[in-house]
Amino acid sequence: MIEVGYKYRFFGEDAEIAARELGIYAHVDHNFVTASVPTYRLNVHVRRLVNVGYKVGVVKQTETAAIKSHGAKPLGPFSRGLSALYTKATLEAAEDMGSGEEEGCGSCSNYLICVVERESKECGVESGFDVRIGFVAVEISTGDVVHGEFNDNVMRAALEAVMMSLSPAEILIGEPISRQTEKLLIAYAGPTSNVRVERASRDCFKDGGALAEIMTSYENSDEDKFIDPHGQILEIPKPRKNHLGIEGIMAMPGLAVQALALTLRHLKQFGLERVLYLGASFRTFSSNIEMTLSANALQQLEVLKNNFDGSEAGSLLGAMKHTLTSFGSRLLRHWVTHPLCDRSSISARLDAVSEIAELMGTCALQNFDDANKQERSNANVKVNYLLSSVLISLGRSPDIQRGITRIFHRTATPTEFITVIHAILYAGKQLEQLEVGNRENNGEVQRVRTTLLKRLILTASSSTVVGHSAKLLSVLNKDAADKGDHENLFVVSDGEFPEVARARTSVQVAKGKLDLLIGLYRKQLGIRNLEFMSVSGSTHLIEVILYQYMLNLIINVKVSDSRFLV
């Protein structure tokens, strides 16, 4: 998609694809097939294209008409450059692409999975294995990183179970790869799945090259670089290295490390590789406390999809899913596909769910507004009210999990940042009111009993979470964020944000000079009400009306005025 004026244009085969997928008109212009969409609809059309499996590059103009007129080649074409790449797995974490909740994909996981393999040392008729497979799956919009390595048979049953459990949106194949493995992956990414497949060579990762490349990337990530308004690079050192991430990678098996290196290299072209530097987000696909269901079990038991039309309706997940939030829906999917096998963990989860059901009582969530008006003297009613308010608030808020990750990727808008932090603060303050001790009130027990639920409430309502959230919101101006007024976004007081204060002073000086210019232009053009205008992001434009007085005098006919943007 190439920015040309106030449109994004497609050319050649891309124009034919866009016309078919977007329902727009393609035509021949100067021997090129072309199609176009308006610039303000960019996010809509990009989302539609990536959702059907395409990789979309956006080429934007890197200079305006005003900048070009003062350049070395004022009459040449505008400079353009590739500004962003989008795929289904990276879209939700990308900048200026909005949220997918409107399209009904907010609760979906969009994993990018990288698969590599080598011939198994245990191969043979007796073992039943012929290859050893390693993989890394990354959910870029939530920060979840899953990895694993295992022996697999000629049917690739274990790999099929991984694919069905994670349901990746993109597959990165590390070549060379066997015909059986490639056949399964290509079959999963069939024409009706909209799953994108890309290939990458791992020949350069021999003799420890994969681990060396990862460690180099980790070392280079220890300092963040920013460019100030004067074009100077500012280096902001981190307080400490992420030793947790390095230790986790050192403990990973060899094939999984190769898959991680390929994934890291792949994500660098999108600018989203930082998600792989968080060691706390890494987890193994199989663990001692969870079961790993086979592909046959997932299919025959209709855990995720029914066997009639392949939809979620009628499946175990469909029957159990009554979640109010997108991140709750994703977590439930993981629980259903990875049931617990540790007895103590099962008991802890059942006890917590039973207590929530008991505390919520018979008061349904839809009657929350009526319950809010009633007097709450009973302890259980109070807990019911607090839990209901938290659940409903989180259900009405944007996807907090993805919002936090977008903040981490630095792609969140100011309004999104404030909304996410406010939701966290509200939930924390409400949960603070729940009693988690053994205190009794007027003879009635008013506390949370189960250990798991108590620990979760204490974590979400900790003084650290509530305090940091309140501090962040106290220095941000919500009204300015809603209006897109970045100049007044920060609340500058008590000497905080000196850089912002200096920048505001510079902006005010520049505005004063522009005000003097507009006064001069009013006198020169004889237009008293002349004002600066903004068109498609280009600011301080002047609209000049040129009346054709001479032509009117010659032919004695009134001619309508013509308008030009200068």
Side-chain angles (χ1 to χ4, degrees):
M1 304 180 68
I2 302 174
E3 184 179 16
V4 181
Y6 302 133
K7 294 181 179 181
Y8 281 99
R9 297 184 65 179
F10 304 87
F11 295 95
E13 184 181 355
D14 292 342
E16 297 175 359
I17 295 173
R20 181 176 67 250
E21 301 293 348
L22 303 178
I24 59 179
Y25 177 68
H27 62 282
V28 178
D29 183 14
H30 293 83
N31 296 327
F32 278 102
V33 178
T34 183
S36 63
V37 295
T39 54
Y40 64 89
R41 297 275 291 175
L42 173 67
N43 62 328
V44 176
H45 293 299
V46 168
R47 186 171 291 278
R48 290 175 62 185
L49 288 171
V50 300
N51 281 339
V52 293
Y54 289 101
K55 182 178 182 179
V56 180
V58 176
V59 177
K60 291 187 177 181
Q61 293 179 182
T62 57
E63 61 181 353
T64 63
I67 295 175
K68 187 168 186 57
S69 63
H70 292 82
K73 298 180 179 179
L75 300 180
F78 285 97
S79 297
R80 293 177 173 86
L82 183 66
S83 64
L85 282 173
Y86 303 103
T87 61
K88 195 171 183 179
T90 62
L91 186 66
E92 299 302 333
E95 191 173 8
D96 299 331
M97 282 295 117
S99 170
E101 295 182 12
E102 297 83 359
E103 288 80 5
C105 32
S107 61
C108 300
S109 293
N110 294 316
Y111 280 98
L112 163 69
I113 185 170
C114 178
V115 179
V116 300
E117 71 172 17
R118 61 174 168 77
E119 185 178 346
S120 175
K121 296 179 180 180
E122 304 173 6
C123 63
V125 179
E126 297 181 357
S127 66
F129 301 125
D130 65 340
V131 293
R132 187 162 182 83
I133 294 177
F135 76 92
V136 167
V138 186
E139 223 297 6
I140 299 153
S141 64
T142 64
D144 188 28
V145 182
V146 187
H147 62 88
E149 184 173 321
F150 48 85
N151 291 324
D152 210 351
N153 56 28
V154 69
M155 299 299 295
R156 302 297 186 264
L159 179 59
E160 185 180 8
V162 171
M163 301 299 291
M164 291 190 63
S165 178
L166 296 177
S167 298
E170 285 189 65
I171 300 174
L172 182 62
I173 300 177
E175 295 183 329
I177 202 163
S178 65
R179 185 177 60 85
Q180 294 90 337
T181 301
E182 182 178 17
K183 182 178 179 181
L184 184 141
L185 295 176
I186 297 300
Y188 176 83
T192 61
S193 66
N194 295 331
V195 175
R196 206 178 149 271
V197 177
E198 193 163 329
R199 301 172 187 270
S201 174
R202 55 190 176 99
D203 291 338
C204 58
F205 292 151
K206 296 179 181 179
D207 301 324
L211 184 60
E213 180 167 330
I214 293 173
M215 291 306 170
T216 301
S217 298
Y218 267 65
E219 291 297 327
N220 294 337
S221 72
D222 285 339
E223 289 185 350
D224 285 342
K225 295 182 179 180
F226 297 92
I227 299 178
D228 68 4
H230 303 289
Q232 297 179 347
I233 297 178
L234 304 177
E235 293 188 357
I236 303 178
K238 294 183 179 179
R240 60 189 298 269
K241 294 182 180 180
N242 191 355
H243 293 291
L244 182 61
I246 295 177
E247 292 173 0
I249 290 173
M250 295 297 293
M252 290 172 60
L255 285 178
V257 171
Q258 290 189 26
L260 179 62
L262 287 178
T263 305
L264 181 63
R265 180 179 292 184
H266 177 78
L267 292 180
K268 282 184 177 180
Q269 62 182 313
F270 302 92
L272 300 173
E273 71 276 8
R274 293 177 66 243
V275 72
L276 298 177
Y277 300 151
L278 294 177
S281 64
F282 281 57
R283 63 180 176 88
T284 58
F285 181 75
S286 302
S287 65
N288 295 329
I289 63 173
E290 292 181 341
M291 296 176 61
T292 301
L293 299 180
S294 67
N296 187 54
L298 292 173
Q299 289 177 339
Q300 298 302 322
L301 297 178
E302 298 182 300
V303 175
L304 299 175
K305 301 177 181 178
N306 65 55
N307 292 331
F308 175 66
D309 60 359
S311 66
E312 188 179 284
S315 66
L316 176 63
L317 179 61
M320 295 181 64
K321 189 166 72 174
H322 299 285
T323 56
L324 293 179
T325 63
S326 299
F327 47 92
S329 178
R330 292 193 294 269
L331 179 61
L332 179 63
R333 178 189 173 91
H334 174 75
W335 284 356
V336 169
T337 56
H338 294 78
L340 295 172
C341 57
D342 179 72
R343 183 171 182 175
S344 60
S345 300
I346 294 173
S347 299
R349 183 180 292 177
L350 287 175
D351 291 342
V353 173
S354 298
E355 184 173 9
I356 292 175
E358 177 186 345
L359 293 174
M360 296 296 289
T362 58
C363 181
L365 290 179
Q366 56 264 32
N367 296 327
F368 168 72
D369 292 333
D370 295 333
N372 188 22
K373 301 175 183 178
Q374 299 176 0
E375 183 179 0
R376 299 173 181 83
S377 59
N378 184 273
N380 285 345
V381 174
K382 178 181 179 181
V383 175
N384 183 325
Y385 165 71
L386 292 174
L387 290 178
S388 299
S389 63
V390 170
L391 289 174
I392 291 178
S393 173
L394 294 177
R396 292 173 178 173
S397 300
D399 194 328
I400 294 179
Q401 185 183 25
R402 283 180 170 167
I404 292 174
T405 310
R406 285 174 58 82
I407 292 172
F408 171 77
H409 287 303
R410 303 169 186 155
T411 57
T413 63
T415 301
E416 184 179 5
F417 181 93
I418 292 175
T419 302
V420 169
I421 301 301
H422 182 269
I424 295 173
L425 177 61
Y426 177 82
K429 285 187 173 181
Q430 290 293 94
L431 293 175
E432 270 184 334
Q433 302 178 48
L434 290 176
E435 298 289 342
V436 293
N438 297 319
R439 186 177 64 183
E440 295 188 359
N441 183 21
N442 297 328
E444 295 181 351
V445 178
Q446 185 182 331
R447 61 185 176 86
V448 176
R449 301 186 305 274
T450 57
T451 303
L452 177 58
L453 188 58
K454 185 187 301 184
R455 176 166 56 85
L456 294 174
I457 291 174
L458 286 174
T459 301
S461 62
S462 67
S463 57
T464 302
V465 173
V466 174
H468 286 336
S469 300
K471 183 178 180 180
L472 287 171
L473 291 178
S474 67
V475 298
L476 295 175
N477 187 335
K478 185 178 184 303
D479 293 336
D482 293 338
K483 297 176 182 178
D485 182 8
H486 293 178
E487 179 185 346
N488 298 307
L489 180 61
F490 290 92
V491 179
V492 178
S493 60
D494 301 328
E496 287 190 292
F497 308 113
E499 301 90 347
V500 176
R502 290 194 296 269
R504 283 183 182 174
T505 302
S506 300
V507 169
Q508 292 301 324
V509 172
K511 284 185 175 180
K513 293 180 179 180
L514 289 170
D515 290 339
L516 293 177
L517 283 177
I518 196 67
L520 177 63
Y521 292 149
R522 286 169 182 166
K523 292 181 180 179
Q524 290 180 347
L525 299 174
I527 304 175
R528 296 182 179 180
N529 59 347
L530 183 67
E531 298 291 346
F532 286 122
M533 298 177 59
S534 296
V535 178
S536 297
S538 298
T539 61
H540 298 92
L541 302 177
I542 299 175
E543 183 182 30
V544 182
I545 304 173
L546 302 178
Y547 292 96
Q548 302 179 347
Y549 290 113
M550 300 303 295
L551 186 59
N552 289 346
L553 290 174
I554 293 175
I555 61 177
N556 197 23
V557 176
K558 184 176 181 180
V559 180
S560 61
D561 56 343
S562 59
R563 295 171 179 262
F564 299 91
L565 284 178
V566 180

